[in-house]
Amino acid sequence: MESPYQIVIVPGWRNSGPGHWQSLWAEQLPGAQRVVQDDWLVPHRDAWVSTLEKVVLESDKPVVIVAHSLGCITTVHMGEEAAARVQGALLVAPADPERRAQLADFAPVPYAPLPYRSVLVASSNDPYCPIRRAGAYARAWGSELVRLQNAGHINVESGLGDWPLGLALLQSLQQSSSWSAAGKSTGRPVAGTSSERPAVPA
């Protein structure tokens, strides 16, 4: 059965290489579309956000976003028109552009509730974003927070393979439907605050 949603994969700084769960999902998930930036090494917010918005607005289906690292920050920078097309977002290991000079163009990070359901996955020992900062993002965005223990930046070095836990979280986003209409009517997720979910071993 064809999915009613378009899965849009949004890599972070320097792209997601072979073996990264995003790259594996792009091959496995039917119809998944991967965002391709013109410059992966020197990211500029306006260019990255514009590229993502173009992909979202051109989709003929509602979009479910799967973002990693700087891709998460790019996602939350989208304007209202593109954000209105998003039904849900899996935001994994968000970057902290205020702590890394190469990503400074993406600061300040928006701290406003997202108008769609989102699940934020963070690791207790992510070298690029302290868990407390990830928790602050989740509270500000209205995201459900899933905390992983010692999973690093949740990338190839984390040894996750195609990351079954992430696939299960993505499936839950796609299967949820009751929150969609309610969330759109208020401009906020149904759950007004983040809720922390225990992580299931991947």
Side-chain angles (χ1 to χ4, degrees):
M1 181 178 179
E2 185 178 0
S3 172
Y5 303 116
Q6 171 69 60
I7 295 173
V8 174
I9 295 175
V10 190
W13 184 38
R14 296 184 175 178
N15 202 356
S16 297
H20 193 291
W21 57 268
Q22 279 192 317
S23 299
L24 299 176
W25 288 14
E27 298 172 356
Q28 296 172 9
L29 299 175
Q33 183 169 359
R34 183 178 182 134
V35 174
V36 179
Q37 301 290 354
D38 289 334
D39 193 337
W40 290 109
L41 298 181
V42 185
H44 294 284
R45 184 178 71 186
D46 288 349
W48 275 44
V49 172
S50 177
T51 297
L52 173 56
E53 288 181 335
K54 185 173 186 292
V55 171
V56 170
L57 291 171
E58 288 181 350
S59 174
D60 58 1
K61 299 178 180 179
V63 167
V64 172
I65 284 179
V66 176
H68 179 256
S69 193
L70 191 60
C72 300
I73 309 304
T74 303
T75 297
V76 301
H77 271 298
M78 284 197 302
E80 292 182 5
E81 183 181 5
R85 298 293 309 279
V86 177
Q87 292 294 307
L90 181 62
L91 306 171
V92 181
D96 182 359
E98 295 178 6
R99 293 169 62 93
R100 202 169 186 88
Q102 298 95 326
L103 312 182
D105 193 41
F106 289 76
V109 174
Y111 272 72
L114 298 173
Y116 44 80
R117 183 186 171 201
S118 58
V119 175
L120 191 156
V121 185
S123 168
S124 62
N125 66 338
D126 189 335
Y128 301 112
C129 183
I131 189 68
R132 292 180 65 181
R133 177 58 59 89
Y137 286 159
R139 289 190 295 273
W141 299 340
S143 304
E144 300 166 51
L145 178 61
V146 176
R147 184 193 299 254
L148 304 184
Q149 289 298 318
N150 302 321
H153 196 44
I154 315 181
N155 54 8
V156 174
E157 287 73 20
S158 303
L160 299 173
D162 63 1
W163 193 29
L165 171 61
L167 285 168
L169 292 172
L170 175 60
Q171 185 177 30
S172 77
L173 276 171
Q174 294 183 87
Q175 289 179 340
S176 299
S177 57
S178 60
W179 52 263
S180 178
K184 292 297 182 182
S185 66
T186 60
R188 294 168 177 261
V190 172
T193 58
S194 67
S195 59
E196 192 161 333
R197 299 165 58 177
V200 179

